Amino acid sequence: MRPLRGRSAFARFAIVVAAGSVIAACNAAPASPEVSVPVRSAAVGGASPSTMPPSPPAASSSPTPTPPASPPTTASPSIALAPGGWWARVAWTKAGPILPLNSTRISVYGWSGGFVAVGMSGGNLGDGQSPLAFSVASSSDGIRWAAARPLDSRGLDPSIQVAGLVQGPTGLLLVGRPAGNTCGGPPTVAALWSSRDGLTWRRVAWPRVFGSNRVQTLDAGSAGDIATGLRTDGRTPAIWLSTDGVAWRSAPLPQISAGRLVVTGATSFAGGLVVAGAVIGPEGCGGASSIHPSIWWSADGASWTREPLTGASNGNDAAMSIVRITDRALVAIERSASPGDRAWLSDDGRTWTRIAAPSTIVEFRLVTDGRHAVAVVRLEGASAPAVIAFHETGSTSTLAETGDRPDPSADGSQWSFAVGPTGILMVRENGGTVWLGHPRN
């Protein structure tokens, strides 16, 4: 996704080989050409790789992780749970200004147990020199919200924004990243907050194993939390693992017989851990000969196997990314100018089936609660946003819409969206209007 005042997609960057060198893309991934209004995504701009984010005060660090609350078995009165299976349409209800957040910059995130809304103010977000402040509220259905609580931001750089939420096996993580563009590489993680239920949040002490390394991507699923990035030399890839989002450890890199390893991202799901990247070279007399986009799988991160991708290219301009559609399905996407984009689908991380390459909406605008994946985007020429669902079969569909359809940018405001147990939540950035879309099969 393109940024929403600094919010952009988790780092999935192109690799370009020129005269035997690898150059990371200077800015966040480009927006899909058919989208004319930016929407919320999962990450923002980057920070210096040599700057170690400050740890929170001892009183608010290193919480004892406990399993997250189970997803609700019944929703609040009159708000039914979204059906499973393939969604065909969505019925919208306009709820008005129901969020208990006193902020003009609000973003929403979904998970299997509900929704989380984060309000941001101060810092370098247009409020002059006022202190950086975050507040967070939680809801199981998107309509009835618990009272807002402050989110610990003491000692953080004024440019930090809360920019994403991931759900691991024992709870949730909110991810903080600096706002702005990042020439020289993809965005970096700069702060973490953990919760077991979306209600109570604690700042995570900056993991010692991260040190001053550049942590570029962070994702989670039922197989654990996984982060990737670069060591302090700016060249050597790194992979880190956690089971609770608080205690992290270094993981071994995939082994290659020749050439240079590049890691561009990773994810976790019921089938294990999957790393996306490439093997550069091996170099010949004319320099690096080609990029070999690749996928590696592991059950636990102790060792990796390179999995075959039928029809993958070997060119000098290609990039591989991995997208978690649900906790049961992944899509690997190779972007290449020649011979063109390619994609593969897997339900176990080891066997990959070629599918039609999806639009960049899938990479940069998709949100998932682990069970369904959707994007809400304004397509070029459309009068209102469209809801696009990505299915575990690898296909996409545009949902039919009824009810009070959202037009969140009618007054020029920005907006964000999320998917959770009762359906699709849309929110104006100022929190003035909330829509809940209840899906139908």
Side-chain angles (χ1 to χ4, degrees):
M1 297 184 193
R2 291 302 297 158
L4 171 58
R5 293 188 182 175
R7 294 190 278 270
S8 63
F10 263 85
R12 295 186 178 95
F13 54 95
I15 306 170
V16 180
V17 173
S21 64
V22 180
I23 304 175
C26 183
N27 293 312
S32 172
E34 69 263 31
V35 178
S36 58
V37 175
V39 294
R40 186 206 57 87
S41 68
V44 295
S48 169
S50 61
T51 301
M52 184 186 304
S55 294
S60 61
S61 65
S62 300
T64 301
T66 56
S70 299
T73 56
T74 59
S76 299
S78 77
I79 305 174
L81 295 174
W86 190 305
W87 292 346
R89 58 192 188 278
V90 59
W92 289 101
T93 299
K94 187 175 181 179
I98 60 174
L99 294 177
L101 297 172
N102 183 21
S103 174
T104 58
R105 282 168 301 279
I106 295 173
S107 57
V108 293
Y109 307 95
W111 62 292
S112 65
F115 299 93
V116 173
V118 178
M120 294 174 280
S121 62
N124 293 344
L125 302 177
D127 290 344
Q129 299 301 313
S130 58
L132 178 68
F134 300 125
S135 56
V136 61
S138 179
S139 172
S140 63
D141 56 29
I143 298 298
R144 296 161 178 83
W145 291 82
R149 303 184 184 189
L151 199 63
D152 183 5
S153 60
R154 288 174 290 178
L156 290 179
D157 186 276
S159 69
I160 298 298
Q161 295 186 25
V162 175
L165 179 146
V166 297
Q167 181 180 0
T170 64
L172 308 175
L173 281 179
L174 281 172
V175 181
R177 298 172 183 265
N181 294 327
T182 50
C183 286
T188 54
V189 175
L192 296 170
W193 296 264
S194 68
S195 175
R196 64 183 182 183
D197 55 10
L199 289 167
T200 303
W201 293 88
R202 294 194 178 190
R203 179 96 164 273
V204 175
W206 188 246
R208 180 174 297 180
V209 71
F210 286 176
S212 58
N213 299 307
R214 179 186 285 269
V215 183
Q216 296 169 327
T217 76
L218 192 151
D219 206 352
S222 58
D225 305 275
I226 185 167
T228 70
L230 294 173
R231 299 293 182 186
T232 54
D233 62 8
R235 178 181 177 91
T236 305
I239 301 173
W240 299 275
L241 302 176
S242 177
T243 58
D244 59 12
V246 176
W248 290 81
R249 68 185 189 278
S250 292
L253 295 172
Q255 297 297 305
I256 58 176
S257 58
R260 176 185 171 191
L261 174 69
V262 175
V263 173
T264 55
T267 194
S268 163
F269 78 133
L273 303 168
V274 176
V275 167
V279 177
I280 310 298
E283 295 185 0
C285 59
S289 59
S290 61
I291 296 175
H292 307 269
S294 302
I295 290 290
W296 290 268
W297 171 87
S298 177
D300 54 10
S303 62
W304 303 89
T305 59
R306 189 176 178 181
E307 304 300 340
L309 298 174
T310 302
S313 68
N314 293 317
N316 60 3
D317 183 1
M320 181 67 74
S321 64
I322 189 76
V323 179
R324 186 173 72 105
I325 302 305
T326 70
D327 202 50
R328 303 176 299 272
L330 306 179
V331 172
I333 303 172
E334 177 194 306
R335 300 295 183 190
S336 175
S338 177
D341 298 343
R342 304 177 183 191
W344 298 262
L345 180 73
S346 178
D347 62 3
D348 62 5
R350 310 196 73 178
T351 303
W352 296 84
T353 302
R354 183 83 173 269
I355 62 173
S359 75
T360 53
I361 290 174
V362 171
E363 285 182 278
F364 306 123
R365 287 167 170 77
L366 205 67
V367 297
T368 179
D369 66 349
R371 295 176 295 195
H372 290 91
V374 301
V376 184
V377 294
R378 187 188 295 278
L379 303 177
E380 186 175 359
S383 60
V387 181
I388 300 173
F390 198 100
H391 308 287
E392 291 178 343
T393 60
S395 63
T396 60
S397 63
T398 300
L399 303 189
E401 298 179 68
T402 60
D404 196 344
R405 292 185 64 187
D407 191 8
S409 55
D411 61 357
S413 63
Q414 304 286 2
W415 45 283
S416 66
F417 65 95
V419 60
T422 53
I424 303 161
L425 195 68
M426 291 192 64
V427 177
R428 289 189 194 273
E429 188 186 33
N430 62 12
T433 310
V434 174
W435 292 265
L436 179 66
H438 190 71
R440 305 284 197 273
N441 296 127

